[in-house]
Amino acid sequence: MSVVMAVKQGDRIWFGADTQATRGGDRYNQLSPNDFKVMKFDNGVLLSATGETVTSQILLAHPEWFTVDEEKGLTKKHIVTKIIPKIYEMLEAEELLERGDKGTPPIMKCTLLLAYEDKLFEICRDLQVIRYEDYQATGSGSNAVNYGLSRIDKSKDINEQLLRLLRISAKHDTNVSAPFIFINTKDLKFTVKEG
């Protein structure tokens, strides 16, 4: 797993994430922008995925799905009516949805954080969509940082505060490690920092 965290500051959403990945019993770091846990799309949308790599890779390979409404930007309605059906159709075709008892919804094997300008949404494993007004963290390392995210001082350097929280997450979860990446929805430029 991993950790991705996001926090709103004024007219932008900041993301911070680790770069560790696993393949079988091996751990390694993904250090190419094409492999970061936060993807930047040409339309200004930022998308992160935590969870099963196969599911994440399929979804991240389709930037054309992650559109915004031309008049309203990114809205819950747009995600539910335009983005979720494409995700569901692909995961169904690839047999990547977990099925429980009859009557329960199918579950995808990853969680997505989606941001555009000052809007932050989570697409949960059951394909529900939640809008966050302030912050959110996902991945196995998120438990160690949720309280810290709630205490971020938005008048100070957000990257430094996210870096501190990523270091805490790495100390508490063996699935999280440096280097760490940072990006926001305004500048759309990646920064990489060592742990």
Side-chain angles (χ1 to χ4, degrees):
M1 283 283 280
S2 53
V3 65
V4 177
M5 55 188 76
V7 63
K8 180 178 177 180
Q9 181 194 38
D11 62 351
R12 70 188 72 195
I13 304 292
W14 291 87
F15 275 85
D18 77 313
T19 56
Q20 181 175 298
T22 57
R23 186 180 297 127
D26 296 331
R27 293 188 306 176
Y28 61 97
N29 292 90
Q30 297 173 304
L31 301 177
S32 164
N34 295 328
D35 296 324
F36 287 160
K37 292 175 186 166
V38 180
M39 293 294 295
K40 171 181 70 170
F41 298 138
D42 291 341
N43 63 358
V45 169
L46 297 179
L47 175 72
S48 74
T50 56
E52 182 189 68
T53 303
V54 172
T55 298
S56 300
Q57 286 175 336
I58 285 174
L59 298 178
L60 296 174
H62 290 281
E64 71 277 8
W65 294 350
F66 298 95
T67 59
V68 296
D69 183 284
E70 290 182 20
E71 295 176 14
K72 298 179 181 179
L74 190 61
T75 64
K76 183 174 181 175
K77 180 178 180 180
H78 182 82
I79 295 169
V80 170
T81 61
K82 302 295 182 187
I83 298 174
I84 297 289
K86 294 172 185 169
I87 291 173
Y88 181 85
E89 183 179 333
M90 176 62 79
L91 296 181
E92 181 76 7
E94 296 292 329
E95 298 180 355
L96 290 172
L97 292 171
E98 292 179 356
R99 303 265 182 210
D101 298 330
K102 287 186 178 182
T104 60
I107 303 292
M108 68 176 175
K109 299 174 186 175
C110 70
T111 300
L112 306 175
L113 284 181
L114 186 62
Y116 178 76
E117 295 177 346
D118 63 347
K119 307 287 189 301
L120 175 64
F121 295 90
E122 180 176 1
I123 301 176
C124 304
R125 294 184 69 215
D126 61 1
L127 298 172
Q128 290 188 58
V129 178
I130 301 170
R131 179 171 175 197
Y132 293 99
E133 295 297 328
D134 199 23
Y135 65 89
Q136 177 61 356
T138 63
S140 62
S142 64
N143 292 335
V145 298
N146 275 322
Y147 177 73
L149 275 173
S150 73
R151 308 296 297 166
I152 282 188
D153 182 344
K154 295 181 183 176
S155 67
K156 295 184 179 173
D157 186 330
I158 298 294
N159 277 353
E160 286 304 313
Q161 294 175 81
L162 289 177
L163 177 60
R164 180 179 56 80
L165 293 174
L166 286 163
R167 287 175 177 154
I168 290 169
S169 182
K171 285 182 182 177
H172 286 86
D173 192 313
T174 58
N175 296 308
V176 176
S177 67
F180 303 115
I181 61 112
F182 304 90
I183 191 170
N184 71 73
T185 56
K186 190 80 165 180
D187 300 329
L188 297 170
K189 295 180 181 169
F190 284 108
T191 303
V192 179
K193 294 188 178 184
E194 292 297 328

PDB file of all heavy atoms in Angstrom, residues 37-65:
ATOM      1  N   LYS A  37       2.394   8.249  -7.415  1.00  0.00           N
ATOM      2  CA  LYS A  37       1.055   7.910  -6.925  1.00  0.00           C
ATOM      3  C   LYS A  37       0.063   9.040  -7.143  1.00  0.00           C
ATOM      4  O   LYS A  37      -1.125   8.868  -6.903  1.00  0.00           O
ATOM      5  CB  LYS A  37       1.128   7.532  -5.454  1.00  0.00           C
ATOM      6  CG  LYS A  37       1.866   6.230  -5.261  1.00  0.00           C
ATOM      7  CD  LYS A  37       2.056   5.880  -3.824  1.00  0.00           C
ATOM      8  CE  LYS A  37       2.931   4.629  -3.770  1.00  0.00           C
ATOM      9  NZ  LYS A  37       3.456   4.379  -2.472  1.00  0.00           N
ATOM     10  N   VAL A  38       0.540  10.175  -7.600  1.00  0.00           N
ATOM     11  CA  VAL A  38      -0.326  11.270  -8.012  1.00  0.00           C
ATOM     12  C   VAL A  38      -0.023  11.540  -9.477  1.00  0.00           C
ATOM     13  O   VAL A  38       1.118  11.783  -9.850  1.00  0.00           O
ATOM     14  CB  VAL A  38      -0.084  12.549  -7.176  1.00  0.00           C
ATOM     15  CG1 VAL A  38      -1.010  13.668  -7.642  1.00  0.00           C
ATOM     16  CG2 VAL A  38      -0.269  12.282  -5.689  1.00  0.00           C
ATOM     17  N   MET A  39      -1.072  11.460 -10.289  1.00  0.00           N
ATOM     18  CA  MET A  39      -0.923  11.720 -11.727  1.00  0.00           C
ATOM     19  C   MET A  39      -1.459  13.109 -12.044  1.00  0.00           C
ATOM     20  O   MET A  39      -2.469  13.527 -11.478  1.00  0.00           O
ATOM     21  CB  MET A  39      -1.700  10.688 -12.542  1.00  0.00           C
ATOM     22  CG  MET A  39      -1.152   9.276 -12.461  1.00  0.00           C
ATOM     23  SD  MET A  39       0.475   9.085 -13.188  1.00  0.00           S
ATOM     24  CE  MET A  39       0.144   9.440 -14.902  1.00  0.00           C
ATOM     25  N   LYS A  40      -0.789  13.779 -12.956  1.00  0.00           N
ATOM     26  CA  LYS A  40      -1.205  15.103 -13.423  1.00  0.00           C
ATOM     27  C   LYS A  40      -1.695  14.947 -14.854  1.00  0.00           C
ATOM     28  O   LYS A  40      -0.961  14.497 -15.725  1.00  0.00           O
ATOM     29  CB  LYS A  40      -0.003  16.055 -13.362  1.00  0.00           C
ATOM     30  CG  LYS A  40      -0.232  17.393 -14.009  1.00  0.00           C
ATOM     31  CD  LYS A  40       1.001  18.266 -13.926  1.00  0.00           C
ATOM     32  CE  LYS A  40       2.110  17.747 -14.814  1.00  0.00           C
ATOM     33  NZ  LYS A  40       3.235  18.670 -14.954  1.00  0.00           N
ATOM     34  N   PHE A  41      -2.947  15.337 -15.088  1.00  0.00           N
ATOM     35  CA  PHE A  41      -3.508  15.251 -16.422  1.00  0.00           C
ATOM     36  C   PHE A  41      -3.480  16.620 -17.096  1.00  0.00           C
ATOM     37  O   PHE A  41      -3.448  17.653 -16.425  1.00  0.00           O
ATOM     38  CB  PHE A  41      -4.935  14.701 -16.379  1.00  0.00           C
ATOM     39  CG  PHE A  41      -5.021  13.298 -15.826  1.00  0.00           C
ATOM     40  CD1 PHE A  41      -6.020  12.949 -14.948  1.00  0.00           C
ATOM     41  CD2 PHE A  41      -4.100  12.318 -16.184  1.00  0.00           C
ATOM     42  CE1 PHE A  41      -6.114  11.662 -14.434  1.00  0.00           C
ATOM     43  CE2 PHE A  41      -4.172  11.033 -15.681  1.00  0.00           C
ATOM     44  CZ  PHE A  41      -5.187  10.700 -14.803  1.00  0.00           C
ATOM     45  N   ASP A  42      -3.510  16.633 -18.412  1.00  0.00           N
ATOM     46  CA  ASP A  42      -3.394  17.874 -19.184  1.00  0.00           C
ATOM     47  C   ASP A  42      -4.476  18.900 -18.867  1.00  0.00           C
ATOM     48  O   ASP A  42      -4.264  20.093 -19.019  1.00  0.00           O
ATOM     49  CB  ASP A  42      -3.415  17.567 -20.690  1.00  0.00           C
ATOM     50  CG  ASP A  42      -2.167  16.840 -21.153  1.00  0.00           C
ATOM     51  OD1 ASP A  42      -1.145  16.885 -20.434  1.00  0.00           O
ATOM     52  OD2 ASP A  42      -2.208  16.218 -22.230  1.00  0.00           O
ATOM     53  N   ASN A  43      -5.636  18.456 -18.407  1.00  0.00           N
ATOM     54  CA  ASN A  43      -6.729  19.382 -18.098  1.00  0.00           C
ATOM     55  C   ASN A  43      -6.644  19.990 -16.695  1.00  0.00           C
ATOM     56  O   ASN A  43      -7.548  20.700 -16.265  1.00  0.00           O
ATOM     57  CB  ASN A  43      -8.086  18.697 -18.292  1.00  0.00           C
ATOM     58  CG  ASN A  43      -8.293  17.519 -17.346  1.00  0.00           C
ATOM     59  OD1 ASN A  43      -7.422  17.169 -16.563  1.00  0.00           O
ATOM     60  ND2 ASN A  43      -9.454  16.896 -17.449  1.00  0.00           N
ATOM     61  N   GLY A  44      -5.555  19.692 -15.961  1.00  0.00           N
ATOM     62  CA  GLY A  44      -5.368  20.245 -14.621  1.00  0.00           C
ATOM     63  C   GLY A  44      -5.890  19.373 -13.499  1.00  0.00           C
ATOM     64  O   GLY A  44      -5.777  19.723 -12.324  1.00  0.00           O
ATOM     65  N   VAL A  45      -6.441  18.222 -13.818  1.00  0.00           N
ATOM     66  CA  VAL A  45      -6.922  17.287 -12.806  1.00  0.00           C
ATOM     67  C   VAL A  45      -5.722  16.530 -12.223  1.00  0.00           C
ATOM     68  O   VAL A  45      -4.836  16.102 -12.961  1.00  0.00           O
ATOM     69  CB  VAL A  45      -7.937  16.294 -13.407  1.00  0.00           C
ATOM     70  CG1 VAL A  45      -8.240  15.149 -12.445  1.00  0.00           C
ATOM     71  CG2 VAL A  45      -9.221  17.021 -13.792  1.00  0.00           C
ATOM     72  N   LEU A  46      -5.721  16.381 -10.893  1.00  0.00           N
ATOM     73  CA  LEU A  46      -4.758  15.524 -10.208  1.00  0.00           C
ATOM     74  C   LEU A  46      -5.512  14.309  -9.693  1.00  0.00           C
ATOM     75  O   LEU A  46      -6.607  14.439  -9.143  1.00  0.00           O
ATOM     76  CB  LEU A  46      -4.091  16.252  -9.041  1.00  0.00           C
ATOM     77  CG  LEU A  46      -3.245  17.471  -9.389  1.00  0.00           C
ATOM     78  CD1 LEU A  46      -2.665  18.094  -8.120  1.00  0.00           C
ATOM     79  CD2 LEU A  46      -2.132  17.120 -10.365  1.00  0.00           C
ATOM     80  N   LEU A  47      -4.922  13.136  -9.868  1.00  0.00           N
ATOM     81  CA  LEU A  47      -5.563  11.893  -9.447  1.00  0.00           C
ATOM     82  C   LEU A  47      -4.539  11.017  -8.753  1.00  0.00           C
ATOM     83  O   LEU A  47      -3.439  10.819  -9.271  1.00  0.00           O
ATOM     84  CB  LEU A  47      -6.124  11.149 -10.670  1.00  0.00           C
ATOM     85  CG  LEU A  47      -6.722   9.779 -10.394  1.00  0.00           C
ATOM     86  CD1 LEU A  47      -8.049   9.914  -9.662  1.00  0.00           C
ATOM     87  CD2 LEU A  47      -6.899   9.004 -11.684  1.00  0.00           C
ATOM     88  N   SER A  48      -4.905  10.500  -7.590  1.00  0.00           N
ATOM     89  CA  SER A  48      -4.036   9.553  -6.912  1.00  0.00           C
ATOM     90  C   SER A  48      -4.779   8.252  -6.706  1.00  0.00           C
ATOM     91  O   SER A  48      -6.009   8.224  -6.643  1.00  0.00           O
ATOM     92  CB  SER A  48      -3.589  10.099  -5.553  1.00  0.00           C
ATOM     93  OG  SER A  48      -4.666  10.035  -4.637  1.00  0.00           O
ATOM     94  N   ALA A  49      -4.022   7.182  -6.609  1.00  0.00           N
ATOM     95  CA  ALA A  49      -4.605   5.868  -6.376  1.00  0.00           C
ATOM     96  C   ALA A  49      -3.774   5.129  -5.338  1.00  0.00           C
ATOM     97  O   ALA A  49      -2.551   5.099  -5.433  1.00  0.00           O
ATOM     98  CB  ALA A  49      -4.649   5.079  -7.677  1.00  0.00           C
ATOM     99  N   THR A  50      -4.463   4.565  -4.359  1.00  0.00           N
ATOM    100  CA  THR A  50      -3.800   3.698  -3.389  1.00  0.00           C
ATOM    101  C   THR A  50      -4.557   2.382  -3.376  1.00  0.00           C
ATOM    102  O   THR A  50      -5.774   2.348  -3.497  1.00  0.00           O
ATOM    103  CB  THR A  50      -3.795   4.314  -1.970  1.00  0.00           C
ATOM    104  OG1 THR A  50      -5.131   4.612  -1.573  1.00  0.00           O
ATOM    105  CG2 THR A  50      -2.958   5.569  -1.921  1.00  0.00           C
ATOM    106  N   GLY A  51      -3.821   1.308  -3.257  1.00  0.00           N
ATOM    107  CA  GLY A  51      -4.436  -0.011  -3.254  1.00  0.00           C
ATOM    108  C   GLY A  51      -3.761  -0.903  -4.270  1.00  0.00           C
ATOM    109  O   GLY A  51      -2.576  -0.753  -4.552  1.00  0.00           O
ATOM    110  N   GLU A  52      -4.530  -1.808  -4.828  1.00  0.00           N
ATOM    111  CA  GLU A  52      -3.987  -2.781  -5.769  1.00  0.00           C
ATOM    112  C   GLU A  52      -3.394  -2.099  -7.000  1.00  0.00           C
ATOM    113  O   GLU A  52      -4.029  -1.268  -7.636  1.00  0.00           O
ATOM    114  CB  GLU A  52      -5.092  -3.739  -6.211  1.00  0.00           C
ATOM    115  CG  GLU A  52      -4.602  -4.811  -7.159  1.00  0.00           C
ATOM    116  CD  GLU A  52      -5.735  -5.605  -7.761  1.00  0.00           C
ATOM    117  OE1 GLU A  52      -6.497  -5.032  -8.552  1.00  0.00           O
ATOM    118  OE2 GLU A  52      -5.828  -6.797  -7.428  1.00  0.00           O
ATOM    119  N   THR A  53      -2.192  -2.472  -7.343  1.00  0.00           N
ATOM    120  CA  THR A  53      -1.480  -1.846  -8.450  1.00  0.00           C
ATOM    121  C   THR A  53      -2.153  -2.076  -9.795  1.00  0.00           C
ATOM    122  O   THR A  53      -2.263  -1.156 -10.602  1.00  0.00           O
ATOM    123  CB  THR A  53      -0.021  -2.353  -8.500  1.00  0.00           C
ATOM    124  OG1 THR A  53       0.585  -2.076  -7.243  1.00  0.00           O
ATOM    125  CG2 THR A  53       0.766  -1.685  -9.594  1.00  0.00           C
ATOM    126  N   VAL A  54      -2.629  -3.279 -10.067  1.00  0.00           N
ATOM    127  CA  VAL A  54      -3.244  -3.571 -11.366  1.00  0.00           C
ATOM    128  C   VAL A  54      -4.435  -2.654 -11.610  1.00  0.00           C
ATOM    129  O   VAL A  54      -4.560  -2.031 -12.671  1.00  0.00           O
ATOM    130  CB  VAL A  54      -3.671  -5.057 -11.457  1.00  0.00           C
ATOM    131  CG1 VAL A  54      -4.481  -5.310 -12.715  1.00  0.00           C
ATOM    132  CG2 VAL A  54      -2.467  -5.966 -11.415  1.00  0.00           C
ATOM    133  N   THR A  55      -5.315  -2.544 -10.628  1.00  0.00           N
ATOM    134  CA  THR A  55      -6.491  -1.678 -10.765  1.00  0.00           C
ATOM    135  C   THR A  55      -6.057  -0.234 -10.951  1.00  0.00           C
ATOM    136  O   THR A  55      -6.556   0.471 -11.833  1.00  0.00           O
ATOM    137  CB  THR A  55      -7.404  -1.816  -9.539  1.00  0.00           C
ATOM    138  OG1 THR A  55      -7.862  -3.171  -9.453  1.00  0.00           O
ATOM    139  CG2 THR A  55      -8.601  -0.891  -9.632  1.00  0.00           C
ATOM    140  N   SER A  56      -5.126   0.227 -10.134  1.00  0.00           N
ATOM    141  CA  SER A  56      -4.647   1.604 -10.224  1.00  0.00           C
ATOM    142  C   SER A  56      -4.056   1.897 -11.598  1.00  0.00           C
ATOM    143  O   SER A  56      -4.338   2.936 -12.200  1.00  0.00           O
ATOM    144  CB  SER A  56      -3.589   1.876  -9.153  1.00  0.00           C
ATOM    145  OG  SER A  56      -4.122   1.685  -7.868  1.00  0.00           O
ATOM    146  N   GLN A  57      -3.231   0.990 -12.104  1.00  0.00           N
ATOM    147  CA  GLN A  57      -2.589   1.214 -13.396  1.00  0.00           C
ATOM    148  C   GLN A  57      -3.601   1.301 -14.531  1.00  0.00           C
ATOM    149  O   GLN A  57      -3.462   2.130 -15.429  1.00  0.00           O
ATOM    150  CB  GLN A  57      -1.571   0.108 -13.684  1.00  0.00           C
ATOM    151  CG  GLN A  57      -0.320   0.232 -12.859  1.00  0.00           C
ATOM    152  CD  GLN A  57       0.627  -0.928 -13.072  1.00  0.00           C
ATOM    153  OE1 GLN A  57       0.231  -2.014 -13.466  1.00  0.00           O
ATOM    154  NE2 GLN A  57       1.905  -0.692 -12.797  1.00  0.00           N
ATOM    155  N   ILE A  58      -4.621   0.465 -14.492  1.00  0.00           N
ATOM    156  CA  ILE A  58      -5.651   0.522 -15.534  1.00  0.00           C
ATOM    157  C   ILE A  58      -6.358   1.872 -15.504  1.00  0.00           C
ATOM    158  O   ILE A  58      -6.570   2.505 -16.542  1.00  0.00           O
ATOM    159  CB  ILE A  58      -6.653  -0.638 -15.381  1.00  0.00           C
ATOM    160  CG1 ILE A  58      -5.998  -1.941 -15.848  1.00  0.00           C
ATOM    161  CG2 ILE A  58      -7.938  -0.369 -16.167  1.00  0.00           C
ATOM    162  CD1 ILE A  58      -6.836  -3.169 -15.622  1.00  0.00           C
ATOM    163  N   LEU A  59      -6.710   2.328 -14.325  1.00  0.00           N
ATOM    164  CA  LEU A  59      -7.435   3.596 -14.215  1.00  0.00           C
ATOM    165  C   LEU A  59      -6.545   4.778 -14.605  1.00  0.00           C
ATOM    166  O   LEU A  59      -6.975   5.682 -15.318  1.00  0.00           O
ATOM    167  CB  LEU A  59      -7.975   3.769 -12.802  1.00  0.00           C
ATOM    168  CG  LEU A  59      -8.989   2.714 -12.362  1.00  0.00           C
ATOM    169  CD1 LEU A  59      -9.431   2.961 -10.930  1.00  0.00           C
ATOM    170  CD2 LEU A  59     -10.176   2.655 -13.300  1.00  0.00           C
ATOM    171  N   LEU A  60      -5.307   4.776 -14.146  1.00  0.00           N
ATOM    172  CA  LEU A  60      -4.398   5.888 -14.440  1.00  0.00           C
ATOM    173  C   LEU A  60      -3.994   5.933 -15.915  1.00  0.00           C
ATOM    174  O   LEU A  60      -3.550   6.962 -16.403  1.00  0.00           O
ATOM    175  CB  LEU A  60      -3.160   5.812 -13.542  1.00  0.00           C
ATOM    176  CG  LEU A  60      -3.432   5.980 -12.044  1.00  0.00           C
ATOM    177  CD1 LEU A  60      -2.158   5.740 -11.243  1.00  0.00           C
ATOM    178  CD2 LEU A  60      -4.025   7.338 -11.727  1.00  0.00           C
ATOM    179  N   ALA A  61      -4.184   4.822 -16.615  1.00  0.00           N
ATOM    180  CA  ALA A  61      -3.849   4.778 -18.049  1.00  0.00           C
ATOM    181  C   ALA A  61      -4.934   5.424 -18.915  1.00  0.00           C
ATOM    182  O   ALA A  61      -4.788   5.475 -20.132  1.00  0.00           O
ATOM    183  CB  ALA A  61      -3.624   3.339 -18.494  1.00  0.00           C
ATOM    184  N   HIS A  62      -5.986   5.932 -18.278  1.00  0.00           N
ATOM    185  CA  HIS A  62      -7.091   6.520 -19.037  1.00  0.00           C
ATOM    186  C   HIS A  62      -7.378   7.951 -18.591  1.00  0.00           C
ATOM    187  O   HIS A  62      -8.443   8.245 -18.034  1.00  0.00           O
ATOM    188  CB  HIS A  62      -8.345   5.649 -18.910  1.00  0.00           C
ATOM    189  CG  HIS A  62      -8.224   4.360 -19.625  1.00  0.00           C
ATOM    190  ND1 HIS A  62      -8.388   4.250 -20.994  1.00  0.00           N
ATOM    191  CD2 HIS A  62      -7.899   3.120 -19.183  1.00  0.00           C
ATOM    192  CE1 HIS A  62      -8.190   2.996 -21.355  1.00  0.00           C
ATOM    193  NE2 HIS A  62      -7.891   2.292 -20.284  1.00  0.00           N
ATOM    194  N   PRO A  63      -6.451   8.870 -18.857  1.00  0.00           N
ATOM    195  CA  PRO A  63      -6.690  10.261 -18.457  1.00  0.00           C
ATOM    196  C   PRO A  63      -7.919  10.872 -19.123  1.00  0.00           C
ATOM    197  O   PRO A  63      -8.530  11.788 -18.575  1.00  0.00           O
ATOM    198  CB  PRO A  63      -5.406  10.979 -18.881  1.00  0.00           C
ATOM    199  CG  PRO A  63      -4.788  10.110 -19.918  1.00  0.00           C
ATOM    200  CD  PRO A  63      -5.183   8.705 -19.561  1.00  0.00           C
ATOM    201  N   GLU A  64      -8.313  10.339 -20.285  1.00  0.00           N
ATOM    202  CA  GLU A  64      -9.475  10.883 -20.989  1.00  0.00           C
ATOM    203  C   GLU A  64     -10.777  10.686 -20.209  1.00  0.00           C
ATOM    204  O   GLU A  64     -11.768  11.373 -20.457  1.00  0.00           O
ATOM    205  CB  GLU A  64      -9.591  10.259 -22.388  1.00  0.00           C
ATOM    206  CG  GLU A  64     -10.019   8.810 -22.433  1.00  0.00           C
ATOM    207  CD  GLU A  64      -8.909   7.782 -22.218  1.00  0.00           C
ATOM    208  OE1 GLU A  64      -7.763   8.163 -21.880  1.00  0.00           O
ATOM    209  OE2 GLU A  64      -9.189   6.584 -22.389  1.00  0.00           O
ATOM    210  N   TRP A  65     -10.793   9.781 -19.241  1.00  0.00           N
ATOM    211  CA  TRP A  65     -11.992   9.568 -18.429  1.00  0.00           C
ATOM    212  C   TRP A  65     -12.183  10.676 -17.402  1.00  0.00           C
ATOM    213  O   TRP A  65     -13.292  10.944 -16.970  1.00  0.00           O
ATOM    214  CB  TRP A  65     -11.915   8.251 -17.681  1.00  0.00           C
ATOM    215  CG  TRP A  65     -11.921   7.032 -18.534  1.00  0.00           C
ATOM    216  CD1 TRP A  65     -12.164   6.938 -19.881  1.00  0.00           C
ATOM    217  CD2 TRP A  65     -11.658   5.710 -18.092  1.00  0.00           C
ATOM    218  NE1 TRP A  65     -12.071   5.641 -20.291  1.00  0.00           N
ATOM    219  CE2 TRP A  65     -11.756   4.857 -19.221  1.00  0.00           C
ATOM    220  CE3 TRP A  65     -11.343   5.151 -16.866  1.00  0.00           C
ATOM    221  CZ2 TRP A  65     -11.566   3.481 -19.140  1.00  0.00           C
ATOM    222  CZ3 TRP A  65     -11.156   3.789 -16.776  1.00  0.00           C
ATOM    223  CH2 TRP A  65     -11.260   2.958 -17.906  1.00  0.00           C
TER     224      TRP A  65
END
